[in-house]
Amino acid sequence: MVKKILLLFIILCMNNVSFASVKIWFCPNDSGFITDKQLEKKWAHSRGDIDVYKFYYQLILNDSYEGLKKKISFLQSNNIQIAVELPPLVWEENGRGFKIESFQRKGLIESVMKKLKAVNAKLDYVALDEPLYFAHYMNGPAAVNYNLDVLASKISDSLKIVYAYYPNVIVGEIEPIGAFKHLTMTEKYNLFNNWFVAFNNKNDKPLKFLHDDVSWRDDWENEITLLHQLTKKNNLENGIIFNSAYQWYNSELWMKSARLNIDKVLSIGSLIPNVAVLQSWNKSPEIIADDNNISAHSSLVLYFINKRDAN
């Protein structure tokens, strides 16, 4: 009996370490709140739990130099690392890849890097925006369907620009694992493994993380299980994007759905990620910074922390 109790205690301690080590990435749909003095106290609690703030590249390019500099300075003074989500491929004007996600106009990446450097940003992470799905797997009239080696080579060209400005930046990618719908789990597993090999063969530095844009309305449990299998085999940090199952929900319902998705994952200890990405690219939540408002995005940080610690 004593041995059983001791074993249970050890398991619980191991689980607590696992839960407590989850890093928080925050990526709301706007960044204007960061330097709003009237809002500073409203997200003071959640701010202390955010490890990484991820910018959309559009918000970087559309901001003034002075405005962006103040935001970067504020985040870094609060010990929050900086990430940017980037489309790593270049489209042909009115041709292959034109206006497809994961593609962008020529010169965009350098514009983003130059601006970050000009405002003294220390860029810690780059998250590549779903290149395997949009440039290899996706079918349809606008499909590109690069083979894995070509795709990896094209990404390498873009990352050389990134590394020229930030040689120590950590690069990973986002992929919607559940959206590869016509593949069996075994086929997905093999495709991703082959992709990681191709990426690492063509790039000077290996891929470091994989964040899953989860299909919450589908077979999410098997999807996240596959995420863990893939990242363990390939020595990658894994992350889960926690958002709403329905993009068109209003703020209250959007946040309720996001909390439910957190509950789902945290209820299954084997599915706990290395990184929780609390992210929105939707209109909701319309309020970002208000820790005491359950319809505000920053409150999701505290919800995750409280649920994590309760487990």
Side-chain angles (χ1 to χ4, degrees):
M1 177 62 71
V2 174
K3 288 183 179 179
K4 287 183 179 179
I5 293 173
L6 180 59
L7 179 60
L8 178 61
F9 176 77
I10 291 171
I11 291 171
L12 289 172
C13 288
M14 289 174 65
N15 284 340
N16 284 337
V17 171
S18 176
F19 278 111
S21 64
V22 179
K23 290 188 288 189
I24 304 293
W25 286 36
F26 191 45
C27 183
N29 52 24
D30 192 20
S31 61
F33 73 97
I34 295 174
T35 49
D36 188 330
K37 291 293 185 182
Q38 294 181 329
L39 298 176
E40 188 172 335
K41 290 183 179 179
K42 288 195 170 187
W43 66 296
H45 191 180
S46 61
R47 187 164 65 243
D49 289 314
I50 296 170
D51 297 292
V52 179
Y53 186 95
K54 183 171 70 170
F55 283 92
Y56 292 108
Y57 75 88
Q58 296 95 327
L59 297 181
I60 290 172
L61 293 179
N62 293 337
D63 207 344
S64 68
Y65 279 88
E66 188 59 28
L68 182 61
K69 186 174 184 178
K70 287 179 179 178
K71 291 170 187 174
I72 295 292
S73 177
F74 182 85
L75 292 170
Q76 294 183 161
S77 68
N78 281 271
N79 299 312
I80 297 174
Q81 294 182 301
I82 306 299
V84 61
E85 185 171 308
L86 284 177
L89 301 164
V90 178
W91 67 42
E92 300 172 12
E93 290 292 330
N94 300 308
R96 299 188 79 185
F98 187 60
K99 294 189 175 180
I100 295 177
E101 190 170 342
S102 199
F103 290 80
Q104 30 77 22
R105 61 175 173 79
K106 185 177 181 180
L108 182 140
I109 287 180
E110 185 145 29
S111 296
V112 174
M113 295 301 111
K114 278 184 176 179
K115 193 161 187 178
L116 287 171
K117 206 70 174 178
V119 299
N120 298 319
K122 180 185 180 296
L123 183 62
D124 300 287
Y125 298 93
V126 165
L128 307 179
D129 184 14
E130 306 186 350
L132 184 63
Y133 180 79
F134 284 103
H136 172 77
Y137 176 79
M138 187 185 77
N139 288 315
V144 177
N145 300 131
Y146 292 139
N147 70 47
L148 298 183
D149 287 335
V150 170
L151 177 57
S153 292
K154 289 183 177 294
I155 291 176
S156 176
D157 292 339
S158 294
L159 288 181
K160 286 175 182 175
I161 299 169
V162 173
Y163 290 132
Y165 287 86
Y166 292 99
N168 297 318
V169 70
I170 296 170
V171 175
E173 68 168 324
I174 308 157
E175 291 292 348
I177 295 174
F180 292 73
K181 293 185 179 296
H182 299 296
L183 301 180
T184 66
M185 285 295 176
T186 299
E187 289 170 335
K188 287 183 189 180
Y189 182 79
N190 291 335
L191 172 60
F192 273 86
N193 282 324
N194 291 337
W195 165 234
F196 297 143
V197 170
F199 183 99
N200 292 342
N201 284 341
K202 296 292 184 179
N203 283 269
D204 294 336
K205 298 181 181 181
L207 204 67
K208 289 296 187 179
F209 63 83
L210 176 64
H211 292 172
D212 186 13
D213 178 5
V214 180
S215 301
W216 294 111
R217 286 177 284 167
D218 297 322
D219 186 11
W220 63 269
E221 189 172 336
N222 280 332
E223 177 182 343
I224 295 174
T225 299
L226 183 59
L227 168 72
H228 280 262
Q229 292 170 347
L230 288 167
T231 52
K232 182 178 180 180
K233 175 177 173 54
N234 292 281
N235 195 31
L236 300 172
E237 186 177 70
N238 64 65
I240 295 174
I241 295 177
F242 290 99
N243 54 5
S244 172
Y246 298 93
Q247 295 186 9
W248 56 86
Y249 271 170
N250 63 30
S251 294
E252 180 181 357
L253 292 177
W254 194 102
M255 287 290 292
K256 184 177 181 180
S257 177
R259 289 192 294 270
L260 177 60
N261 293 331
I262 289 172
D263 292 344
K264 290 175 181 177
V265 173
L266 294 189
S267 69
I268 306 173
S270 62
L271 300 185
I272 305 303
N274 303 128
V275 174
V277 186
L278 309 179
Q279 179 168 355
S280 176
W281 48 86
N282 310 136
K283 182 179 179 181
S284 295
E286 295 187 63
I287 299 171
I288 297 174
D290 189 347
D291 292 346
N292 295 319
N293 182 347
I294 62 172
S295 294
H297 205 177
S298 70
S299 73
L300 199 63
V301 176
L302 300 182
Y303 185 84
F304 184 92
I305 294 294
N306 291 335
K307 282 288 182 176
R308 181 198 69 183
D309 292 348
N311 285 282

